[in-house]
């Protein structure tokens, strides 16, 4: 399934809920979100039907995200069902980790072998500041549990924010040195709760890399499973790797293989492009699988060649990261 620019689209990221148990300052307002009633978001049966159709069209990888995917009850059932689709060879989640440790065995049992955690600080007081919640111990438990269960790969996504966690870069690299984590540094993007975003809080990945090279010997890594937009580096003598995701300084749009589905069932070709294809309304008027396939193809055709984040798309975006599923 190729788009207008010849990119093979085989990756579907699904936001299973807008809700979250944290309130990261750059992502959600303190009061939380306008909660959709259960009719407003797709049921698991609807998501499954859409993944099945996507799989018939060429989707091979699925990532469940949110909001916080683990606040949605019985997520393991959806994982199990998706895992049974013969075309899907990779299923993953992106989570803040707060509920992970308690659900980990069940998740592993349902067929989940890999997980991405979002962790922006390794200091409990700073965690409380940035997420507005006191849950750092739970996140530490999650990281330990994922290693204990030998999940592989276990990735940690860290948004680097100048003046907040740029002085922890070395600590994150040390974590990847001591444990088999793949720590990925992500450039801070002007999307989400824009009151918190400022251009001078953004640190480019080249700046981060220079900072790391003062203390560690790093070299471009061989492939890490789950090939995405990150550039990976080995740390000499270390168990894990580090990676860099540079949506701001070096966009990777020419390699983009993904479609995104919001919790309300809207398909998007790009995180930053507000054009959407409404699958939920179609589903609920009883359309055929063939019609749904056509809607998938429409969304793929709308996929832009590249994002225009550096020239204003972030502020024009009509959705937040927790709605699209970052
Ligand atoms: N709640 C889950 C979590 O935090 O992992 C999944 C959803 S969250 C929206 C997905 C990712 O988007 C997180 O890694 C978060 O740090 C990232 N994110 C949100 N706003 C961002 C921004 N303005 N710049 C860069 N990354 C952002
Ligand atoms: Fe929740 Fe993830 Fe947004 Fe933080 S980044 S508020 S954990 S959805």
């Amino acid at each position: 399934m190729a788009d207008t620019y010849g990119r093979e689209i085989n990756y579907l990221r699904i936001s299973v809920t807008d809700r979250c148990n944290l309130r990261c300052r750059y992502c959600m307002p303190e009061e939380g979100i306008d909660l959709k009633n259960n009719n407003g978001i797709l049921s698991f049966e609807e998501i499954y039907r859409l993944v099945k159709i996507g799989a018939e069209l060429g989707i091979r990888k699925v990532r469940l995200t949110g909001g916080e995917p683990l606040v949605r009850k019985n997520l393991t059932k959806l994982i199990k069902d998706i895992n049974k689709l013969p075309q899907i060879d990779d299923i993953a989640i992106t989570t803040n980790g707060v509920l992970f440790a308690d659900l980990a065995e069940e998740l592993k049992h349902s067929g989940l072998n890999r997980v991405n955690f979002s962790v922006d600080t390794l200091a409990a007081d700073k965690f409380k500041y940035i997420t507005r919640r006191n849950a750092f111990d739970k996140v530490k438990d999650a990281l330990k549990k994922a290693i204990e269960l030998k999940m592989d790969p276990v990735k940690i996504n860290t948004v680097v924010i100048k003046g907040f966690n740029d002085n922890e870069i070395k600590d994150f690299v040390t974590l990847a040195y001591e444990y088999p984590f793949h720590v990925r540094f992500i450039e801070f993007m002007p999307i989400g709760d824009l009151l918190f975003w400022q251009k001078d809080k953004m640190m480019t990945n080249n700046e981060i890399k220079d900072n790391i090279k003062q203390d560690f010997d790093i070299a471009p890594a061989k492939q890490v499973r789950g090939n995405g937009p990150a550039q990976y580096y080995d740390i000499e003598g270390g168990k894990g790797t580090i990676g860099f995701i540079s949506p701001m300084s070096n966009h990777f749009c020419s390699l983009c293989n993904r479609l995104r589905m919001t919790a309300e069932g809207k398909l998007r070709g790009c995180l930053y492009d507000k054009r959407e294809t409404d699958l939920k309304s179609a589903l609920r008027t009883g359309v055929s699988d063939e019609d749904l396939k056509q809607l998938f193809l429409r969304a793929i055709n709308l996929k832009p060649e590249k994002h225009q984040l550096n020239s204003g798309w972030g502020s024009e975006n009509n959705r937040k990261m927790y709605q699209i599923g970052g």
Side-chain angles (χ1 to χ4, degrees):
M1 185 163 63
D3 73 358
T4 344
Y5 303 96
R7 293 170 296 198
E8 190 62 32
I9 309 302
N10 53 20
Y11 181 14
L12 181 62
R13 293 176 71 105
I14 304 171
S15 170
V16 294
T17 177
D18 292 352
R19 301 183 190 204
C20 189
N21 46 3
L22 298 182
R23 295 284 182 276
C24 300
R25 285 174 191 269
Y26 53 77
C27 182
M28 265 201 194
E30 179 143 34
E31 63 278 13
I33 54 158
D34 177 17
L35 295 177
K36 303 265 169 309
N37 59 32
N38 277 344
N39 237 358
I41 62 170
L42 295 181
S43 67
F44 283 164
E45 290 72 24
E46 289 170 323
I47 295 177
Y48 175 73
R49 182 172 173 205
L50 293 173
V51 175
K52 191 162 176 284
I53 288 168
E56 283 161 17
L57 284 170
I59 295 296
R60 298 291 171 263
K61 300 192 220 179
V62 172
R63 174 171 299 278
L64 304 178
T65 173
E68 171 49 37
L70 296 182
V71 301
R72 186 134 180 209
K73 296 231 157 33
N74 297 324
L75 191 74
T76 44
K77 158 127 183 46
L78 179 66
I79 295 174
K80 246 189 223 157
D81 288 345
I82 293 177
N83 235 340
K84 283 189 207 136
L85 291 170
Q87 302 96 331
I88 301 296
D89 47 43
D90 194 12
I91 179 154
I93 61 168
T94 296
T95 170
N96 61 33
V98 174
L99 298 174
F100 180 83
D102 290 341
L103 291 168
E105 318 247 347
E106 199 182 319
L107 286 165
K108 175 129 189 178
H109 224 73
S110 67
L112 187 84
N113 279 314
R114 60 204 224 79
V115 59
N116 287 15
F117 293 107
S118 304
V119 187
D120 297 331
T121 174
L122 299 172
D125 54 335
K126 287 168 76 176
F127 183 92
K128 191 170 174 191
Y129 167 75
I130 199 76
T131 66
R132 301 187 181 105
R133 294 290 183 271
N134 199 359
F136 185 61
D137 286 347
K138 294 263 178 210
V139 176
K140 272 204 305 200
D141 291 347
L143 297 179
K144 278 189 214 149
K145 192 79 190 181
I147 295 283
E148 206 179 289
L149 289 179
K150 297 195 170 21
M151 289 189 140
D152 182 30
V154 180
K155 297 182 182 175
I156 297 178
N157 292 341
T158 303
V159 179
V160 180
I161 303 171
K162 258 190 199 155
F164 172 67
N165 60 0
D166 51 327
N167 59 353
E168 290 189 68
I169 293 170
K170 188 174 169 182
D171 300 339
F172 275 103
V173 181
T174 304
L175 186 70
Y177 179 85
E178 290 177 355
Y179 299 93
F181 290 125
H182 303 287
V183 172
R184 291 122 47 97
F185 297 103
I186 302 178
E187 289 172 348
F188 192 22
M189 295 180 276
I191 182 170
D193 201 336
L194 293 179
L195 290 176
F196 190 74
W197 192 87
Q198 279 164 9
K199 202 174 172 87
D200 59 8
K201 286 185 183 161
M202 215 275 287
M203 193 165 175
T204 67
N205 275 334
N206 279 341
E207 291 176 280
I208 300 170
K209 220 178 284 172
D210 288 345
N211 179 310
I212 293 170
K213 283 180 181 163
Q214 291 172 17
D215 298 297
F216 298 89
D217 281 328
I218 59 170
K222 285 154 246 119
Q223 190 69 13
V224 175
R225 194 158 76 90
N227 52 359
Q231 291 176 318
Y232 287 98
Y233 285 73
D234 288 322
I235 317 158
E236 201 184 298
K239 293 190 172 143
T241 64
I242 52 170
F244 300 93
I245 302 181
S246 320
M248 298 298 285
S249 62
N250 174 23
H251 58 63
F252 31 76
C253 305
S254 64
L255 301 174
C256 185
N257 59 349
R258 53 190 71 177
L259 272 184
R260 295 170 186 267
M261 192 158 75
T262 70
E264 295 168 276
K266 307 259 168 50
L267 267 188
R268 274 192 171 217
C270 173
L271 182 55
Y272 314 105
D273 184 356
K274 58 187 173 189
R275 292 170 300 170
E276 295 179 334
T277 301
D278 184 2
L279 296 180
K280 188 185 78 188
S281 304
L283 273 169
R284 295 190 184 174
T285 51
V287 298
S288 67
D289 284 3
E290 193 43 49
D291 290 338
L292 289 169
K293 271 186 191 160
Q294 292 309 317
L295 290 172
F296 259 91
L297 295 174
R298 173 185 187 269
I300 290 168
N301 280 331
L302 281 178
K303 203 171 156 60
E305 185 179 11
K306 53 187 175 197
H307 76 68
Q308 307 290 333
L309 199 52
N310 291 312
S311 50
W313 270 19
S315 50
E316 276 178 19
N317 207 329
N318 55 345
R319 282 184 193 279
K320 311 286 187 205
M321 201 77 152
Y322 59 81
Q323 293 175 303
I324 312 166

